Amino acid sequence: MRFMILWHQFSLRQMLWLICLKNVLRLTSSVLCRSAFGKVWDDRDYLLMIMREVLALIGGFDVADFFPSWTLLHEISGTRSRLMSMHNKIVVVLEKIIHEHKENQPNEEKGHGEFGGEDLIDVLLRVMENGELRFPFTNDNIKAVILDMFFGGTETSSTTIQWALSELMKNPNVMTKAQAEVRCVCEGKKDLNDNDLEELKYLKLVINETLR
């Protein structure tokens, strides 16, 4: 009976932790989308789902990795075909995003995101149209930049936050001190600026230790 209770508590904690990780991933992707692309995409959650599938697939065991020259193994394992299928799904979403930006250009509605002005995709499209670079710059290059920004920025940032949270949970005294500092600095404020962030000295130490 005691074992069942402990197992139930462990399962509950594990479920809550997975929910927390999912929310962290959504948070980092939202911040990235707003800062780089002007707004949170409608297909953001769909891209996150594909990203998790891709990471699980390339991080898993595949016999074909030990014999890369044996093309038959790649066909049997099905990993390459599944990756290509995910790639095609991602391309459809990215082309939709680029198409939306192109449609707004004739109407002079560039930067139609939450913050106004040009976002990263608008700038890349302008560079492509003006031919400002010495080398060819196409839609494929824009899709590659968007994909690198979204996948790289989302996964790395969320992983860092997850490590920080896990270490804080292991050290409750440190977490209590960090929480007290944040509450003290943010008390009674609706918005924070750079000066407020500079006051979070202990939290910076926590971040530095996490990165170390």
Side-chain angles (χ1 to χ4, degrees), residues 4-201:
M4 294 298 295
I5 294 175
L6 292 174
W7 177 255
H8 177 72
Q9 291 176 346
F10 173 78
S11 301
L12 182 60
R13 290 176 182 175
Q14 191 176 35
M15 182 181 66
L16 292 175
W17 178 244
L18 290 175
I19 293 174
C20 177
L21 297 186
K22 183 179 179 180
N23 289 334
V24 168
L25 196 62
R26 286 173 57 86
L27 170 65
T28 54
S29 64
S30 297
V31 172
L32 176 69
C33 286
R34 286 193 173 97
S35 59
F37 310 120
K39 65 176 182 178
V40 178
W41 299 329
D42 296 334
D43 298 310
R44 187 270 311 267
D45 291 335
Y46 181 63
L47 278 177
L48 286 176
M49 180 190 70
I50 297 177
M51 183 184 73
R52 287 193 291 267
E53 292 178 0
V54 170
L55 292 175
L57 195 58
I58 63 178
F61 175 77
D62 187 4
V63 179
D65 292 338
F66 295 95
F67 307 96
S69 60
W70 293 12
T71 56
L72 181 61
L73 278 179
H74 292 283
E75 298 297 331
I76 295 175
S77 66
T79 301
R80 179 175 295 178
S81 61
R82 279 181 285 175
L83 286 173
M84 287 303 300
S85 175
M86 294 176 189
H87 172 266
N88 294 333
K89 293 177 182 178
I90 293 173
V91 168
V92 171
V93 176
L94 297 181
E95 287 180 347
K96 175 185 174 183
I97 294 170
I98 294 175
H99 180 69
E100 288 177 357
H101 281 72
K102 285 184 176 181
E103 279 189 334
N104 289 324
Q105 286 181 350
N107 301 325
E108 297 183 354
E109 294 182 1
K110 289 184 179 180
H112 55 287
E114 298 177 11
F115 303 106
E118 286 187 324
D119 57 30
L120 178 62
I121 302 176
D122 291 322
V123 174
L124 294 175
L125 287 173
R126 175 165 52 79
V127 170
M128 182 181 69
E129 292 172 357
N130 297 340
E132 299 175 4
L133 301 178
R134 295 182 179 179
F135 54 86
F137 195 74
T138 64
N139 274 355
D140 290 337
N141 298 113
I142 296 178
K143 285 184 282 188
V145 172
I146 297 173
L147 194 61
D148 284 346
M149 289 285 293
F150 185 80
F151 274 32
T154 298
E155 176 62 21
T156 53
S157 301
S158 63
T159 301
T160 303
I161 294 175
Q162 291 167 20
W163 272 105
L165 290 175
S166 63
E167 291 299 324
L168 286 173
M169 291 174 67
K170 292 179 183 178
N171 300 274
N173 293 334
V174 176
M175 181 167 62
T176 301
K177 190 173 180 179
Q179 288 174 333
E181 182 186 57
V182 172
R183 292 191 180 104
C184 179
V185 173
C186 302
E187 185 178 6
K189 298 179 181 178
K190 294 183 179 180
D191 299 314
L192 297 178
N193 53 41
D194 293 339
N195 294 329
D196 296 321
L197 297 179
E198 288 296 327
E199 296 181 23
L200 299 173
K201 301 185 184 300

